[in-house]
Amino acid sequence: MLYDIRLNLRYDYDAAAGGGRHQVRVLPPTISGVQRVIAASLSFAPAPSERSDFSDFFGNNVTSIAFRDVHDALDIRMSARVAVSRPEPGLDVSPDIRRLREELDAVRSLSPDTPHHFLAASVHAGIDAAITAYARSSAGNSAVSTAMDLCSRIYRDFTYDSEATTVQTRASDAFDLKRGVCQDFSHIMIAGLRGLGVPAGYVSGFLRTIPPRGKPRLEGADAMHAWVKVWCGRDTGWQEFDPTNGMRASNDHITVGHGRDYSDVAPIVGVLKTTGGQVGEQAVDVIPVVLEKA
């Protein structure tokens, strides 16, 4: 699939800011065998006094910006054309959880993608006894079947409610509520799998949404999305699951970044020299591109 993606993040401040410094993670990367970025741009208004671009530990694209002048709003615009071609899931040859742990013990690498980084409790996805017990009911004959069953159960058992949680909500709180959004469902799945000893991480990105039949597609109606990557053993490697929709990640899922949880891939983090609060707005367009044949 080929997509044109547009993202607009806007923040209006209660009081003018005398300065600020932020890190922005919204540019999708090229991922071998999964997606290719054909073109991408990222702009800011007002223009920052300083800007630098780099890759973080996990390989995510990061833009660091700083402001010295007074400003009362920040507008971030990202556009990209991305081709996504995920391989079809093959025959499930992943080990069961006991053998998965044996294979994990044999991994000696500490590279960014090694499963060891995705086993311990993290800020939003702590190891929680209740979540572990819930996940244990999904433990099956293989790591893939365990992850898929847990993904499907979260989809069935939890209610999507954009008013129930915030970006600061942790997995244990969302689990108690049985409500939340994609970020919460991903954190619950991650916490559950880690409780079983299965490495799991957080994926941030975009998801193409399809309007109801006969209805036009609404501009800005899409939003940033989140799903889960699971290490399923030496031969199967990392696989991705979307508990918000009860499915494997597909060609409709466009990756921006990954980490241990949301805190590693938040679209923007930073500090402001100001007083009062701020109001943020987000608009996303994920538009399939159909190329005409010559």
Side-chain angles (χ1 to χ4, degrees):
M1 292 293 297
L2 186 64
Y3 298 103
D4 280 342
I5 303 167
R6 295 194 298 265
L7 167 68
N8 182 208
L9 297 174
R10 181 175 175 85
Y11 298 90
D12 291 289
Y13 309 138
D14 289 343
R21 185 174 291 274
H22 313 280
Q23 288 188 348
V24 180
R25 289 173 171 84
V26 296
L27 279 170
T30 290
I31 304 172
S32 178
V34 176
Q35 71 180 32
R36 179 169 59 93
V37 177
I38 299 168
S41 66
L42 179 61
S43 63
F44 303 92
S49 304
E50 300 175 15
R51 172 175 174 166
S52 62
D53 298 274
F54 62 94
S55 296
D56 66 14
F57 176 76
F58 293 113
N60 303 316
N61 292 323
V62 185
T63 299
S64 177
I65 56 174
F67 298 93
R68 298 193 186 94
D69 298 328
V70 174
H71 57 292
D72 57 11
L74 173 60
D75 196 70
I76 303 170
R77 295 182 182 271
M78 188 280 294
S79 62
R81 174 165 288 191
V82 182
V84 182
S85 182
R86 293 178 181 271
E88 290 290 328
L91 182 68
D92 183 6
V93 296
S94 63
D96 60 23
I97 293 177
R98 181 186 62 80
R99 288 190 296 118
L100 181 78
R101 291 171 181 160
E102 295 174 356
E103 293 188 9
L104 182 62
D105 288 342
V107 177
R108 301 301 182 201
S109 170
L110 289 178
S111 65
D113 211 33
T114 191
H116 294 299
H117 297 307
F118 301 90
L119 264 177
S122 56
V123 175
H124 291 277
I127 306 299
D128 179 273
I131 299 178
T132 300
Y134 176 81
R136 191 171 289 116
S137 298
S138 288
N141 295 325
S142 72
V144 168
S145 64
T146 297
M148 189 66 245
D149 187 73
L150 181 58
C151 173
S152 299
R153 288 174 59 217
I154 292 172
Y155 171 69
R156 294 194 304 268
D157 295 346
F158 290 74
T159 301
Y160 190 95
D161 182 351
S162 61
E163 302 297 323
T165 57
T166 71
V167 294
Q168 303 301 326
T169 301
R170 303 193 178 194
S172 56
D173 297 321
F175 182 79
D176 290 340
L177 289 170
K178 295 296 184 289
R179 314 177 77 83
V181 295
C182 58
Q183 174 181 315
D184 304 302
F185 303 153
S186 296
H187 284 150
I188 290 168
M189 183 171 174
I190 291 167
L193 289 171
R194 288 178 183 170
L196 298 178
V198 179
Y202 185 97
V203 186
S204 171
F206 304 104
L207 175 65
R208 179 178 71 137
T209 56
I210 302 173
R213 184 182 299 274
K215 299 292 184 180
R217 183 182 163 282
L218 299 177
E219 293 294 321
D222 296 299
M224 292 199 75
H225 192 53
W227 59 97
V228 179
K229 56 181 289 184
V230 183
W231 192 73
C232 296
R234 178 185 58 238
D235 297 324
T236 305
W238 290 100
Q239 302 294 309
E240 298 183 8
F241 302 83
D242 182 352
T244 305
N245 295 290
M247 62 185 292
R248 300 280 290 261
S250 69
N251 286 341
D252 290 334
H253 292 74
I254 303 106
T255 299
V256 167
H258 74 278
R260 293 161 296 184
D261 62 26
Y262 171 81
S263 62
D264 284 333
V265 290
I268 180 171
V269 294
V271 293
L272 284 171
K273 187 186 295 183
T274 186
T275 59
Q278 62 183 10
V279 176
E281 296 180 358
Q282 177 187 133
V284 176
D285 290 313
V286 179
I287 305 168
V289 177
V290 180
L291 299 178
E292 296 183 0
K293 295 183 179 180

